[in-house]
Amino acid sequence: MNITVIGTGYVGLVSGVCYAELGHQVYCVDKDAEKIELLLSGGIPIYEPGLGEMSCTNMEAGRLRFTTDLSGAVADAELVIIAVGTPSLPSGEADLRFVDAAVREIGAAMNGYKVVCVKSTVPVGTNDRVRELLSELYEGPFDIASLPEFLREGTAIRDTLAPDRIIIGTDSQRASKLLSGLHEPLNTRILITDIRSAEMIKYASNAFLATKISFINEIANICEKVKADVTEVAKGMGLDTRIGPSFLGAGIGYGGSCFPKDTTALIQIAGNVHYDFKLLKSVVEVNKEQRYSVISKLHQALGSLEGRTIALWGLAFKPETDDVREAPALEIVDRLIQLGATPKVYDPVAMDNFRRLRNHPGIQWCSSALEAAKDSDALCLLTEWRQFKEINLAEVKAAMSGTVLIDGRNAFSEQQVSGLGFGYYPVGRPSLQEPFEIPEVV
Ligand SMILES: NC(=O)c1ccc[n+]([C@@H]2O[C@H](COP(=O)([O-])OP(=O)(O)OC[C@H]3O[C@@H](n4cnc5c(N)ncnc54)[C@H](O)[C@@H]3O)[C@@H](O)[C@H]2O)c1
Ligand SMILES: O=c1ccn([C@@H]2O[C@H](COP(=O)(O)OP(=O)(O)O[C@H]3O[C@H](CO)[C@@H](O)[C@H](O)[C@H]3O)[C@@H](O)[C@H]2O)c(=O)[nH]1
């Protein structure tokens, strides 16, 4: 099948590469000429394990092409997939500017029957708007479909080629047949539903996962007070098949380009029909506060943070990605600077992206985890990269001037840290207070 994907971000690029991997002829289009140039030269604009190799193999096989020429790419296609960004407006609502612009360009390039589907996460009713816009620009036949995406950054290829399910929202048998056929080789459950339900499934899924995270974070906060261990609690809860073990990892809360944006968008979608989504509002509020638990623990351990040097391990919103959008590290760094501390930061892949958002002279940029830890009063783990989990903590402790280890992701076991002289503060688990003195600020 000839497929054109509009937008080569995390979703468009991964989808395009994976459809090519399945044997289709794919055009990936982006208006960002630099991105396209990089892709054509065999480079990859994002860090996503396995994506670079798969992209090159498919380009060499002649199945995958990159272009800025949307109209040429659309003219050739049977299926056009919109995967442009839908960022938040200040109100929290999804900004559909990029979707509208892409649809206008597609409309102008239509030259025969095509299925146009929206993979971007869009509010309920957006596909109707796409249909309207397209009909204004093109009089011939076409069908539209909602094809929400559920991939996670860091495991995007696996999630795309082995998804839990494919959701297809359409009112056209022809589109339904084409899209089911496209996804059949993935050997997964395919739910064909109406367009509005498909649009809602995406928001409801993200909102539910975010709810699980905020729920377990509140349980963790209570565990700290009643001296229970949230990892044991989550394990015990997860054994109930009705609950399941996933997304019960307590920590410093969710970040990324999806949960924060999609939860606030759903609150707005509800608000627009005069429904007050109280539960989701609390989920968002709990998440906002949770990242500052790192700061409270630093205060608890060190008192004032003025003049302190605080090492931060991990800037990406999760491991295996360079994405720092809505990463908890952003607000933690801001607060530390506000409080007069010096953050010493290190991330294996997200340093450049973080620097683009926070190029503050008060930040010390380090080239290794050990360099960040060196001479710091406290060390905070914010992203559970494997290299942090496997590091020699005795060596880390020896390099630090202080003894405080805040584990914002429960990445270490008590066994790993005990006996090293750390004051160890995990999330929702008993902290380990080995005898230590609070160092003087120099
Ligand atoms: N990032 C994820 O993990 C993820 C997962 C599932 C769903 N989504 C949803 O998918 C959508 C895309 O997300 P993303 O993270 O890939 O976005 P992104 O910002 O990484 O990429 C969007 C790309 O679209 C390009 N673009 C915008 N307008 C264009 C146009 N008119 N023509 C050609 N290219 C254009 C931009 O230049 C950019 O490269 C969003 O709605 C998001 O909510 C994202
Ligand atoms: O038990 C958990 C699981 C995740 N997180 C945090 O939640 C955020 C999101 O993690 P994850 O869902 O793994 O990554 P995303 O790439 O943001 O993927 C989510 O958002 C995408 C965009 O909509 C969806 O496609 C995916 O299905 C959905 O999982 C990260 O900050 C994680 O640290 C936790 O704190 N505890």
Side-chain angles (χ1 to χ4, degrees):
M1 191 185 304
N2 285 342
I3 303 174
T4 290
V5 183
I6 318 288
T8 58
Y10 287 84
V11 167
L13 184 55
V14 172
S15 305
V17 169
C18 289
Y19 287 131
E21 181 73 11
L22 292 176
H24 300 285
Q25 287 295 325
V26 180
Y27 253 127
C28 283
V29 183
D30 208 289
K31 61 179 184 181
D32 182 338
E34 258 180 55
K35 230 182 222 189
I36 293 298
E37 224 170 274
L38 175 69
L39 286 161
L40 284 170
S41 70
I44 286 285
I46 54 173
Y47 177 87
E48 184 61 49
L51 186 59
E53 296 83 334
M54 199 180 270
S55 173
C56 286
T57 315
N58 283 286
M59 266 204 292
E60 279 159 21
R63 290 189 295 264
L64 181 64
R65 286 174 289 177
F66 296 102
T67 182
T68 51
D69 173 21
L70 185 143
S71 62
V74 166
D76 277 354
E78 298 160 76
L79 172 64
V80 180
I81 298 175
I82 300 171
V84 300
T86 50
S88 294
L89 286 166
S91 64
E93 267 173 305
D95 184 349
L96 296 177
R97 200 167 9 138
F98 301 115
V99 174
D100 286 354
V103 172
R104 285 202 184 90
E105 288 179 70
I106 295 166
M110 292 283 278
N111 58 350
Y113 176 84
K114 297 173 201 304
V115 174
V116 177
C117 66
V118 181
K119 206 172 232 321
S120 302
T121 303
V122 292
V124 181
T126 304
N127 275 270
D128 291 341
R129 173 177 163 150
V130 169
R131 193 198 308 265
E132 247 176 64
L133 265 176
L134 277 179
S135 341
E136 281 168 20
L137 293 158
Y138 177 67
E139 284 178 352
F142 66 87
D143 281 311
I144 57 158
S146 164
L147 186 65
E149 178 56 62
F150 300 95
L151 67 79
R152 287 163 297 176
E153 291 177 22
T155 52
I157 291 187
R158 196 174 68 215
D159 291 347
T160 306
L161 292 177
D164 283 347
R165 80 304 206 185
I166 294 291
I167 304 293
I168 299 169
T170 187
D171 51 12
S172 142
Q173 275 201 359
R174 194 168 169 186
S176 153
K177 207 168 149 209
L178 181 127
L179 290 170
S180 315
L182 173 64
H183 294 96
E184 218 165 57
L186 301 180
N187 237 335
T188 189
R189 288 164 290 203
I190 299 180
L191 175 69
I192 297 164
T193 183
D194 62 280
I195 293 173
R196 285 177 174 247
S197 303
E199 291 169 328
M200 186 54 119
I201 286 168
K202 175 64 198 176
Y203 280 107
S205 302
N206 273 1
F208 188 72
L209 293 170
T211 303
K212 278 186 100 173
I213 297 171
S214 279
F215 180 87
I216 202 68
N217 281 334
E218 293 225 272
I219 294 290
N221 296 340
I222 302 166
C223 281
E224 284 181 12
K225 293 184 190 300
V226 299
K227 301 205 184 316
D229 180 340
V230 75
T231 55
E232 289 297 304
V233 175
K235 204 190 288 171
M237 287 169 66
L239 290 173
D240 185 327
T241 51
R242 293 169 304 171
I243 298 172
S246 59
F247 281 73
L248 290 179
I252 54 172
Y254 60 79
S257 67
C258 294
F259 287 172
K261 159 176 91 66
D262 295 345
T263 44
T264 50
L266 185 51
I267 289 168
Q268 285 299 324
I269 291 169
N272 290 345
V273 289
H274 312 293
Y275 189 87
D276 185 12
F277 201 156
K278 296 191 199 86
L279 174 62
L280 197 53
K281 284 180 177 170
S282 300
V283 166
V284 171
E285 199 185 316
V286 167
N287 190 60
K288 270 195 186 126
E289 283 169 18
Q290 191 67 15
R291 52 195 58 184
Y292 295 116
S293 61
V294 170
I295 305 287
S296 327
K297 283 175 180 154
L298 283 170
H299 278 309
Q300 194 187 327
L302 295 172
S304 165
L305 299 185
E306 174 99 45
R308 299 285 185 191
T309 302
I310 311 294
L312 300 181
W313 279 0
L315 302 172
F317 80 100
K318 63 179 281 190
E320 298 301 333
T321 182
D322 60 353
D323 198 344
V324 298
R325 290 179 282 184
E326 302 288 334
L330 291 165
E331 277 159 329
I332 292 170
V333 162
D334 289 347
R335 184 59 64 88
L336 287 174
I337 290 172
Q338 241 173 40
L339 293 168
T342 301
K344 281 184 87 181
V345 305
Y346 173 69
D347 188 285
V349 301
M351 300 284 275
D352 289 346
N353 282 345
F354 199 85
R355 202 184 271 114
R356 270 189 276 277
L357 296 187
R358 290 290 185 282
N359 199 4
H360 194 282
I363 301 175
Q364 283 188 26
W365 305 90
C366 301
S367 50
S368 72
L370 206 58
E371 186 191 332
K374 193 167 178 310
D375 298 329
S376 62
D377 294 298
L379 164 63
C380 308
L381 181 142
L382 306 185
T383 316
E384 66 278 33
W385 282 96
R386 197 153 87 188
Q387 65 164 256
F388 301 150
K389 295 206 272 189
E390 291 176 353
I391 206 163
N392 179 343
L393 280 176
E395 210 179 315
V396 171
K397 169 72 182 51
M400 291 171 63
S401 62
T403 54
V404 177
L405 172 57
I406 314 269
D407 183 354
R409 297 291 184 182
N410 284 338
F412 302 117
S413 63
E414 196 180 320
Q415 219 179 359
Q416 269 175 294
V417 292
S418 63
L420 298 179
F422 279 116
Y424 175 63
Y425 298 81
V427 181
R429 288 155 57 204
S431 49
L432 186 68
Q433 309 292 331
E434 294 185 4
F436 70 95
E437 284 179 16
I438 296 176
E440 288 303 310
V441 177
V442 279

